[in-house]
Amino acid sequence: MKKTLFFAATVAMACLFTACEDCDDCATGSLNPPSKVNAVSVTEVQDALYLGVPNITLTQALTADTTLTIPNSYAPNQHLILNLPAASHSITINQGSGFTGSLPVLNLDTQNADDLTINTPDMSVYFSGNVNGTLTSTTGPNTLTIKEEGTVDTLAVQKGNVYVFGTVSNYGTIASGSKIVRAVSSGQQLVNMLAQNASYNNGVVLTADIHDVISTNVNAPYVIGLESSRTNPATAFNATSFDGYIFDGNGHTIGGAGLNSVLLVCANSVVVKDLTIHQNANEKSAAYNAVVSGTTLSEGNNGISIYRSKNVVLDNVKVIGTDKAGVIISSSTVTATKLTTESNKLGGVNITGGVASQYDGDPAFTFVSGNLSEQDHGDKTGPYKLWVDLNTLSSPTDYSVTFKTGNWESALNPSNSNQRYYYPVK
């Protein structure tokens, strides 16, 4: 009885607020909404949304298709939990306005919906539950996240990116500029996902550390893009369907063994973020025992190689303990923020024109922030924090290095005039 009276009081407050939403004295925060409401009807759910209640559950299953509006009734950066048992009906969630607060981040659980339309172009949404038909998504510049327990028959995207941790059986129309980022948890899954040339293959997000030795017969076990398109002079810098690919490490670590590197980037505007590359003992052994044309390489691997690709972004990436270089920038343009290189035998970042002529691909590196922690031996012979292989360039000045943090200077390698290395001013 008390709960019924309390909710009735909040509904009355919502009606009062709705009637005077243009009045400065009726700011959302002054209503002091309850932290949680169990509603018995769609009307009560909507009233609670107007109040800015952050946790709302509809206790009765829907009896008809339903439309709800999420207003800007919330505190900044607040999350809204909304639980709606759909019972084989369709639900539309719209974004509203007219209130004095902010739009929330929506955590939506809809069980057994026929169709679900999320029309919230300025919001981020987390979805769990199941949609038997089509989930049509319009979200803000961040993402719709389909959580692990979410299942969707068909996903259609009109705006925003979508991270898929759950299950999507079919992909409908994907808007231009929207990206589908799918979860992987093993090395073979990662290889398979990276190889798919499909409209819904725009990125991967790791859900576990990956230390599988997949293959030592390729330049790198994990390749973003088409390496073959980069080796052809006529197409070396052309756009491909992998441009803009997102490799989200999600805080995890990958290893692996190939002929050259662990991760190879062969596409423009790729983003690699929140990732650590660190080979374990088995992966290093496999790299040293890789065989090409009957010859054992015995050279180890680089961490990340970026090959003839423009506008690549490294964001919060660590490369640790490789037996070659941490990062190779080969006729590519790269910007790095929060980049860490540590204990890589040859050094942190190597800038090169590659083994063939560049085809107008002068390498360029912008170091925004991070820690290139490699230390030379005291005689300026390496391993270097950053060095340029001048003899691979069309001319010794056909490259660019820009530091946004600290004061750096450079010098020629005293024992190799084909190398210029960079170090912070002490």
Side-chain angles (χ1 to χ4, degrees):
M1 183 65 178
K2 289 181 178 179
K3 288 183 177 178
T4 303
L5 291 174
F6 179 72
F7 187 78
T10 61
V11 170
M13 292 169 68
C15 293
L16 175 62
F17 178 68
T18 303
C20 64
E21 62 187 39
D22 293 328
C23 174
D24 291 339
D25 293 331
C26 293
T28 304
S30 66
L31 295 177
N32 191 25
S35 61
K36 183 176 182 179
V37 162
N38 291 324
V40 297
S41 69
V42 172
T43 299
E44 290 185 355
V45 171
Q46 186 62 72
D47 288 339
L49 290 169
Y50 286 143
L51 277 175
V53 176
N55 190 332
I56 305 169
T57 297
L58 178 62
T59 60
Q60 306 294 323
L62 295 178
T63 58
D65 294 349
T66 296
T67 297
L68 289 166
T69 299
I70 309 295
N72 53 324
S73 300
Y74 292 84
N77 303 314
Q78 190 166 27
H79 280 245
L80 163 63
I81 299 172
L82 183 58
N83 299 294
L84 302 172
S88 297
H89 292 286
S90 296
I91 298 174
T92 298
I93 304 291
N94 288 326
Q95 174 183 310
S97 60
F99 289 74
T100 58
S102 300
L103 292 164
V105 174
L106 176 60
N107 295 266
L108 177 64
D109 189 337
T110 62
Q111 294 299 325
N112 200 27
D114 274 355
D115 294 303
L116 174 63
T117 300
I118 300 174
N119 183 26
T120 57
D122 299 306
M123 295 170 57
S124 293
V125 180
Y126 293 84
F127 170 75
S128 57
N130 56 295
V131 178
N132 300 322
T134 299
L135 192 165
T136 303
S137 169
T138 303
T139 60
N142 293 324
T143 61
L144 164 69
T145 299
I146 299 175
K147 298 171 69 174
E148 186 176 359
E149 58 271 26
T151 61
V152 175
D153 181 76
T154 301
L155 175 65
V157 182
Q158 296 182 348
K159 179 178 179 289
N161 299 335
V162 181
Y163 271 56
V164 180
F165 291 91
T167 301
V168 174
S169 299
N170 303 288
Y171 289 88
T173 301
I174 309 298
S176 176
S178 294
K179 300 182 188 303
I180 305 298
V181 180
R182 295 178 294 165
V184 296
S185 60
S186 72
Q188 194 58 60
Q189 280 185 343
L190 180 56
V191 169
N192 294 344
M193 203 80 80
L194 291 171
Q196 292 181 4
N197 191 4
S199 62
Y200 52 84
N201 180 29
N202 314 122
V204 292
V205 55
L206 305 187
T207 60
D209 293 346
I210 293 177
H211 286 285
D212 302 339
V213 177
I214 300 299
S215 173
T216 56
N217 297 318
V218 294
N219 274 341
Y222 310 120
V223 183
I224 302 172
L226 301 172
E227 186 179 359
S228 59
S229 71
R230 294 301 190 238
T231 59
N232 182 345
T235 62
F237 296 97
N238 284 2
T240 73
S241 60
F242 290 90
D243 286 2
Y245 205 87
I246 297 172
F247 193 112
D248 188 344
N250 198 25
H252 290 291
T253 298
I254 64 169
L259 303 178
N260 191 291
S261 303
V262 175
L263 177 64
L264 176 60
V265 176
C266 297
N268 300 321
S269 303
V270 168
V271 176
V272 181
K273 65 179 183 176
D274 299 331
L275 177 70
T276 297
I277 293 181
H278 190 187
Q279 291 175 308
N280 62 27
N282 288 338
E283 292 158 343
K284 284 192 175 185
S285 177
Y288 273 92
N289 289 302
V291 176
V292 179
S293 302
T295 302
T296 302
L297 293 183
S298 299
E299 292 180 350
N301 285 170
N302 302 296
I304 303 175
S305 289
I306 303 164
Y307 181 48
R308 290 180 181 160
S309 300
K310 298 177 181 178
N311 304 318
V312 174
V313 173
L314 305 180
D315 182 9
N316 193 29
V317 171
K318 299 179 181 179
V319 187
I320 301 172
T322 70
D323 284 353
K324 284 186 177 177
V327 179
I328 298 285
I329 298 172
S330 180
S331 292
S332 299
T333 58
V334 178
T335 299
T337 302
K338 294 185 289 185
L339 171 65
T340 298
T341 62
E342 179 181 322
S343 302
N344 298 293
K345 285 187 178 179
L346 295 185
V349 178
N350 177 213
I351 297 172
T352 174
V355 296
S357 56
Q358 300 166 77
Y359 312 108
D360 299 321
D362 294 349
F365 178 57
T366 300
F367 184 57
V368 178
S369 63
N371 182 22
L372 310 182
S373 66
E374 284 78 10
Q375 299 292 332
D376 63 41
H377 297 143
D379 56 3
K380 305 302 182 186
T381 60
Y384 301 123
K385 296 178 183 295
L386 187 152
W387 77 103
V388 184
D389 291 328
L390 302 176
N391 60 329
T392 65
L393 307 172
S394 297
S395 76
T397 60
D398 284 347
Y399 74 95
S400 171
V401 177
T402 303
F403 295 97
K404 299 291 187 179
T405 180
N407 295 316
W408 292 69
E409 56 187 359
S410 69
L412 287 174
N413 185 334
S415 59
N416 183 353
S417 61
N418 288 322
Q419 287 184 338
R420 178 169 289 276
Y421 61 92
Y422 288 75
Y423 52 95
V425 177
K426 295 181 179 179

